[in-house]
Amino acid sequence: VQLQASGGGLVQPGESLTLSCAASGFTLNRPAIGWFREAPGKEREAVACLSTNNDITYLPDFVKYRFAISRDKNQNTINLQMNNLRPEDTGVYYCATDLGQASSYALCHSRPTEWGMGTLVTVSS
């Protein structure tokens, strides 16, 4: 299982950014896959998860009206569209999965077993 996150960078508050996670070594039609972030001094938290067998998504309240998670089946990638970014969105973003977990809600409320390298998002003026 390989997960490669990309797309991070420096943006100003209010701007948008899209992260991509390229998945390989497994088929994106069974496990849930999600995005998690770790901010300086804070615990890692889930920001968006998607069930790849039915495309049901889960996003916590603090991002659900600003972020969106989607899947590109042709490229085996999971994208995280982030709008109206805030300084508190700054952190390292990781994509992660658990091959034994199909539920997006459950994945976001557990600790996935497979993690990719993170990509840094910095929101600052």
Side-chain angles (χ1 to χ4, degrees):
V1 174
Q2 288 192 330
L3 300 166
Q4 181 63 52
S6 62
L10 172 63
V11 296
Q12 295 188 348
E15 293 186 339
S16 298
L17 198 63
T18 300
L19 306 182
S20 292
C21 175
S24 61
F26 66 101
T27 303
L28 276 184
N29 64 357
R30 293 193 63 184
I33 190 166
W35 285 94
F36 297 73
R37 72 185 182 191
E38 187 170 324
K42 296 186 178 180
E43 293 187 357
R44 194 171 294 185
E45 62 185 354
V47 296
C49 294
L50 179 146
S51 299
T52 60
N53 60 358
N54 57 21
D55 289 328
I56 291 177
T57 63
Y58 170 81
L59 292 90
D61 288 346
F62 59 86
V63 297
K64 69 184 299 183
Y65 298 113
R66 300 187 295 121
F67 291 10
I69 185 171
S70 62
R71 174 167 64 131
D72 183 330
K73 299 179 184 179
N74 292 331
Q75 298 190 11
N76 225 36
T77 59
I78 300 292
N79 298 317
L80 181 68
Q81 174 68 41
M82 303 184 292
N83 300 317
N84 191 21
L85 283 162
R86 304 167 180 170
E88 55 263 38
D89 294 317
T90 294
V92 180
Y93 284 68
Y94 301 87
C95 58
T97 189
D98 182 334
L99 299 184
Q101 181 56 261
S103 162
S104 55
Y105 179 88
L107 183 70
C108 267
H109 289 83
S110 65
R111 182 168 178 83
T113 57
E114 310 290 339
W115 294 84
M117 297 297 290
T119 185
L120 177 63
V121 174
T122 303
V123 185
S124 175
S125 56

